[in-house]
Amino acid sequence: MGHLRIPLLSLLVFLLNLSSFHFLSLADDYFINCGSHENVSLTSGQNFSGESKSAGYSFSKSKAVKDINQLPDISPLYKTARSFNKPFYYQFSITEDGTYLVRLHFSAFSSSSSSNNLSTAVFGVLDSKNFTLLNNFTAKNTTYSPVIKEFFLRIDITDSFRLYFTPQPSSFAFVNAIELFLSPVDFIPENYTSNLPLHTIYRLNVGGSPVNDTIGRKWETDDSHISDQNSAKKATPQSTLNLDRYGKIDGLVASNASVAPLLVYQTAREMTNVTSNITWLFSVSSKARHIVRAHFCDIVGQPGNIIFNLYANGNFRKEIGIISQYSAVPFFYDFVVNYSESELFNISIRPNNGASEQNAFLNGLEILEIVEGLAPIPNVKESKKNVVAPVVGSVLGGLSLICVLTVGFVFGFRHRKAEKHVETSVWSPMPANGGGSSHSSALNLDYLGLKISFNEIQSATNNFDTKLVIGKGGFGNVYRGTLLNGTKVAVKRAYKRDEHGSGSGQGLLEFKTEIIVLSKIRHRHLVSLIGYCNERSEMILVYEFMEKGTLRDHLYDSDVPRLSWNQRLEICTGAARGLHYLHTGAARGIIHRDVKSSNILLDENHVAKVADFGLSRSGALDETHVSTNVKGTFGYLDPEYMMSEQLTEKSDVYSFGVVLLEVLCGRPAIDPTLPREQMNLAEWGMLCKKKGLLEQIVDSSLKNQIDPSSLRTFGETAEKCLQDDASDRPTMADVLWDLEYALQLQKTTKLKEAHEDSTTIAASSAAFSLPIVQRFPSLGSTTNGDDTRDSDLDTTENKIFSQLKIGDAR
């Protein structure tokens, strides 16, 4: 279908060019005054048009709301908005590939159409490619001024580009104005080839006053970011700008007015004390990478005299020296700063000791966050009067019908399958209510005898010492601890959310579910629950301590030793046993619903244990399915479950298939830094499998370790698990059988190799006869050797393969 859309669009353009009728502009520039039909002009020069059905965009069901205060000193742009208590979107017609600048305007006024002030709205914003542009966003601020969020997004003409506004439960979303237009070609770094969006965090006119440029970018003063005001002074320009230089010199790029306003290059800060440095401090997300663009223009010294060094977080980045040979020529330099444990970010400059003039300067600075977070596209209720994207303004006669049908077909076919809302696995504890009485009354689990006092947990974790943190997630931190009886434990403590924390009731439900599920089951390959605490509005779970951490850590954490293929097979087999027991053993039909590599833990002997049962559902296997809101983790979710919301044990099988590919390839289920076709591991792995290229994407650390037969069996097992139709997937009993078979093939090969390396091959051949390993019918449905209680936890031999033992095989 990808080859069909381009000819259809070409046909549309051809018909439009032939026509003598007048059409409105198809230019990809959108400046929308949301929720209003009035046009608005800003003092910065931007002109916003009132909403129109014939302007190249549309929006789904939502409401237009107005400010009831109507304060005279606020622009009319911020007196109206489009809002809704369900997800809604704006859809845009795009006619040119490229990187687009998107600005979203938010002003939290009081609305007569809503029982809530817009300042209470908590919502997210997603784009068509599932990237989370804003998460748990609120426009409330102490100055009551508009909040403007700016992004750079790669958009293709084959995309039906949408911006989704997704409210948190019991809240709503809104937007006052939207800008969308092609970005200047020089803005995106030339070595930034990823399709990941960029979010502008800071843009500073260093040493100067605030500036608004011709495309609406706001350059703020840097005064509040300098760590030591005495270290720097505002530079006095020595000459006018020289704009005749083009191209790149020593990694620095000659700039122009489309990259930054010339006013930025006409001001700077330079050294006051040349024995120190100038440092700028910023608050950023420690969970994100950032692109930094530093602007330089030597307006402070004599040509060739000043050489200095640029640092980021104390690390040397670049010697800035070549530009000193070009008096008053603007340059900029781009670089990426990787993830950091700290949310405090700094940029500094200091003189180079070898320079004839000891000085350093900076003219401008931009910091953009690389958006890597993915979220599922919400299921949006269409508004009948707005669902068709109006690409043209007015069309007459038969030509209008052809155009509308063509566009409708192009965009309609692309979205012919409705996408379902997915709730991710995140704990959201109940708000504090003094003494935690609400928790106690809601749980009523004292009869289980698993309650541990908060004081003992405090003591076990040294008052939740950050040095004892062994894991973090959306739910909170996991601490290593030791109980009073000497038992080593892992303590999972949920974050306490503020008043806007979402889904607190669901967090309590997941907390209770995990306690009930784990109190009922006991198995060698399932993590054991030691106890829980619900005092003082806390939600804390205490588990047996798993020395080796998560399977995920051992697959792509550079600080953890890589697992051998034998170890990986043993781990997969163990995890399969645990899931098989959940599905069919004494647990009586529990569906995990969040199977992933970070929920498979390893003890000191690398024995796998499945963990995290907060999303589990029980009793489902006594029925055909259970209807439920979709929950899980993006990248592991069963596509049929997402579409139908019908949960079966085969959803766990699909997720486990993704884990098998992670184990084989040593990469995450979703990697947004890769090309689009490789981003989703399940899709990429199955494509390679069908092409016979699976061995080419195997983890490089496994080179020459895997027996071809074992690899073939393992790959076929993953492929069967990842079938789109759940009825075509195997049961966990069959998966377990296949993995045991792959493991036995691997072990048999190793034994054979060891035997053939012996110097007594001839003498031993009669006494040591290798069996012909053959596949016996699956006995998974009757294999409950691991469906054990405490007395049987040391049982490790699976009876399925009793006939395949060396020397005893039939």
Side-chain angles (χ1 to χ4, degrees), residues 37 92 227 272 276 327 385 391 408 448 524 655:
H37 296 302
F92 301 88
S227 63
T272 299
S276 183
S327 178
K385 60 184 179 181
V391 176
L448 295 174
R524 174 179 172 78
S655 301

Side-chain angles (χ1 to χ4, degrees), residues 615-691:
L615 298 182
S616 300
R617 288 293 297 263
S618 61
L621 302 187
D622 295 331
E623 308 166 20
T624 304
H625 64 264
V626 171
S627 296
T628 174
N629 290 334
V630 177
K631 292 187 178 183
T633 300
F634 195 71
Y636 297 85
L637 279 166
D638 169 14
E640 184 169 287
Y641 172 38
M642 290 180 65
M643 294 294 296
S644 67
E645 298 185 347
Q646 309 299 305
L647 178 68
T648 72
E649 80 278 15
K650 297 297 184 70
S651 298
D652 280 355
V653 174
Y654 182 94
S655 301
F656 191 70
V658 179
V659 172
L660 294 181
L661 284 183
E662 280 187 273
V663 167
L664 182 64
C665 304
R667 55 147 288 189
I670 296 291
D671 190 346
T673 64
L674 293 174
R676 192 167 183 176
E677 69 275 7
Q678 300 179 24
M679 191 181 297
N680 185 300
L681 176 59
E683 296 175 0
W684 177 239
M686 289 303 91
L687 179 62
C688 292
K689 175 68 172 64
K690 290 175 182 176
K691 291 183 177 180

Side-chain angles (χ1 to χ4, degrees), residues 245 249 252-255 265 294-296 323 326 329-333:
R245 186 76 196 181
I249 305 173
L252 285 86
V253 184
S255 190
Y265 295 110
H295 298 266
F296 304 99
I323 66 170
Y326 301 91
V329 174
F331 287 90
F332 64 85
Y333 175 65

Side-chain angles (χ1 to χ4, degrees), residues 4 73 90 227 376 381 497 503 520 549 599 663 757 769 791 794:
L4 184 58
D73 56 341
Y90 276 81
S227 63
K381 184 176 182 180
R497 301 288 175 88
K520 292 180 178 179
N599 282 342
V663 167
D757 288 340
S769 178
S791 60
D794 291 331

Side-chain angles (χ1 to χ4, degrees), residues 391-450:
V391 176
V392 294
S394 60
V395 188
L396 301 177
L399 181 58
S400 70
L401 179 60
I402 295 174
C403 294
V404 172
L405 287 177
T406 302
V407 176
F409 181 78
V410 171
F411 291 117
F413 186 86
R414 180 179 175 85
H415 296 283
R416 64 192 183 279
K417 291 186 177 180
E419 294 177 276
K420 298 294 182 179
H421 177 67
V422 180
E423 299 177 49
T424 55
S425 174
V426 176
W427 274 18
S428 303
M430 295 286 283
N433 290 312
S437 58
S438 62
H439 276 184
S440 299
S441 60
L443 284 173
N444 293 323
L445 296 175
D446 292 352
Y447 68 93
L448 295 174
L450 296 174

